[in-house]
Amino acid sequence: MEKILVLGAYSGIAQQVLYNFAKEGPFFFLVGKDYEKLKIVGDHLKVLGANSVHLEPFDMNKLESHEELFAKSLSVMGSVDILFISYGILSKQSEVERNTNQLLENYFTNAISVVHFISKVLGYFRARNEGTIAVVTSVAGERGRKSNFYYASAKSSVDVFLQGLRHSLSNTNVSVVTIKPGVVDTPMTRELERKFLVASSKKVGKDIYDAIKSKKKLVYTPWYWRYIMLVIRNLPDFIFNKLDI
């Protein structure tokens, strides 16, 4: 029975990933701020076949409690086979520019808390010499654009961190999976003014599940974002700067 620690368990993407895992009868340790939302997800996972589900209300920006949270997951499940991180916020660019608190929250939630938690649990995975660390970032992090460069820069920092983490674990049996979705139809994106190539959360969830099971290093979802971002990354500035994106 796989033991899966999920940070951000009721995000639109995470739910679809977990529904795919549930049929295998795993033990889930679900983390999120809102207990009632966790309970809805947990109840559904039990119906779908989960062996056991533990609900843990927790604010991931409480960095000082990260070690305690991981210790509790080990106490409850006995071990952790998969660490799956799928939380974040998408604030409006104009609001982040004007509001220092929102600026700090963007970087704390989308980057610092993720890097901090992984750093605190890395010793466990190294000592165990097995397991998977899977993190949802975003294609937005591949090139700064005027519409969302605060969000994108936070995601980009996580991408680079995961690259280095994968390199540092290359002589072990620990897998690091970087997950880069495009725009996904979830509650977080429903207020976006522009929705280009919006993918269903169900499709993205299945892609992520397959990537974690096969221990891929990097997955773009849907697949075509790999090629879209290849073009965007390599556009010369004199062309890129004329684009309204």
Side-chain angles (χ1 to χ4, degrees), residues 160-178:
V160 175
F161 171 77
L162 293 174
Q163 289 172 17
L165 180 65
R166 188 179 301 110
H167 189 203
S168 73
L169 293 170
S170 59
N171 62 344
T172 74
N173 294 316
V174 181
S175 300
V176 178
V177 183
T178 301

Side-chain angles (χ1 to χ4, degrees), residues 9-10 30-32 34-42 55-57:
Y10 52 74
L30 306 182
V31 179
D34 191 316
Y35 177 82
E36 292 304 321
K37 290 181 180 179
L38 286 176
K39 189 174 186 307
I40 291 170
V41 175
L55 310 179
E56 189 67 25

Side-chain angles (χ1 to χ4, degrees), residues 134-199:
V135 185
V136 176
T137 64
S138 172
V139 296
E142 298 208 355
R143 188 163 188 177
R145 294 176 291 121
K146 62 183 178 182
S147 60
N148 70 350
F149 58 82
Y150 287 100
Y151 172 80
S153 59
K155 291 295 187 179
S156 178
S157 68
V158 176
D159 283 344
V160 175
F161 171 77
L162 293 174
Q163 289 172 17
L165 180 65
R166 188 179 301 110
H167 189 203
S168 73
L169 293 170
S170 59
N171 62 344
T172 74
N173 294 316
V174 181
S175 300
V176 178
V177 183
T178 301
I179 301 154
K180 294 191 177 187
V183 182
V184 184
D185 185 17
T186 67
M188 188 174 81
T189 63
R190 288 195 181 134
E191 293 185 4
L192 287 179
E193 294 179 1
R194 303 177 185 182
K195 294 186 176 182
F196 177 61
L197 295 176
V198 180

Side-chain angles (χ1 to χ4, degrees), residues 20-240:
N20 283 280
F21 272 107
K23 62 189 177 185
E24 300 171 1
F27 193 147
F28 289 113
F29 189 102
L30 306 182
V31 179
K33 285 185 179 181
D34 191 316
Y35 177 82
E36 292 304 321
K37 290 181 180 179
L38 286 176
K39 189 174 186 307
I40 291 170
V41 175
D43 288 346
H44 193 33
L45 292 173
K46 290 176 185 176
V47 171
L48 293 175
N51 186 289
S52 188
V53 178
H54 174 86
L55 310 179
E56 189 67 25
F58 185 82
D59 181 354
M60 289 304 301
N61 283 345
K62 294 182 177 179
L63 306 185
E64 70 280 2
S65 298
H66 280 184
E67 289 180 87
E68 182 181 345
L69 174 65
F70 189 64
K72 186 167 184 180
S73 72
L74 293 177
S75 174
V76 170
M77 296 193 295
S79 61
V80 173
D81 300 306
I82 298 172
L83 168 60
F84 177 47
I85 300 178
S86 181
Y87 66 87
I89 55 172
L90 181 58
S91 302
K92 288 185 178 179
Q93 176 84 3
S94 59
E95 293 177 359
V96 177
E97 287 179 358
R98 294 193 305 266
N99 189 312
T100 300
N101 289 334
Q102 285 200 26
L103 184 149
L104 293 174
E105 185 181 20
N106 167 66
Y107 288 110
F108 262 93
T109 303
N110 292 326
I112 294 173
S113 65
V114 175
V115 170
H116 186 269
F117 187 85
I118 295 174
S119 298
K120 290 299 181 182
V121 307
L122 185 55
Y124 169 81
F125 284 96
R126 283 190 189 279
R128 195 168 180 242
N129 195 32
E130 63 179 331
T132 299
I133 299 170
V135 185
V136 176
T137 64
S138 172
V139 296
E142 298 208 355
R143 188 163 188 177
R145 294 176 291 121
K146 62 183 178 182
S147 60
N148 70 350
F149 58 82
Y150 287 100
Y151 172 80
S153 59
K155 291 295 187 179
S156 178
S157 68
V158 176
D159 283 344
V160 175
F161 171 77
L162 293 174
Q163 289 172 17
L165 180 65
R166 188 179 301 110
H167 189 203
S168 73
L169 293 170
S170 59
N171 62 344
T172 74
N173 294 316
V174 181
S175 300
V176 178
V177 183
T178 301
I179 301 154
K180 294 191 177 187
V183 182
V184 184
D185 185 17
T186 67
M188 188 174 81
T189 63
R190 288 195 181 134
E191 293 185 4
L192 287 179
E193 294 179 1
R194 303 177 185 182
K195 294 186 176 182
F196 177 61
L197 295 176
V198 180
S200 74
S201 57
K202 185 175 182 179
K203 162 62 177 167
V204 169
K206 181 61 166 60
D207 286 348
I208 294 172
Y209 164 79
D210 289 342
I212 294 173
K213 294 296 290 186
S214 61
K215 300 183 178 180
K216 280 188 177 180
K217 294 182 177 68
L218 171 65
V219 59
Y220 289 83
T221 176
W223 61 269
Y224 47 74
W225 280 101
R226 176 184 295 273
Y227 303 101
I228 291 172
M229 296 315 299
L230 177 65
V231 172
I232 289 177
R233 283 197 312 272
N234 289 285
L235 280 175
D237 282 348
F238 75 90
I239 295 176
F240 182 76

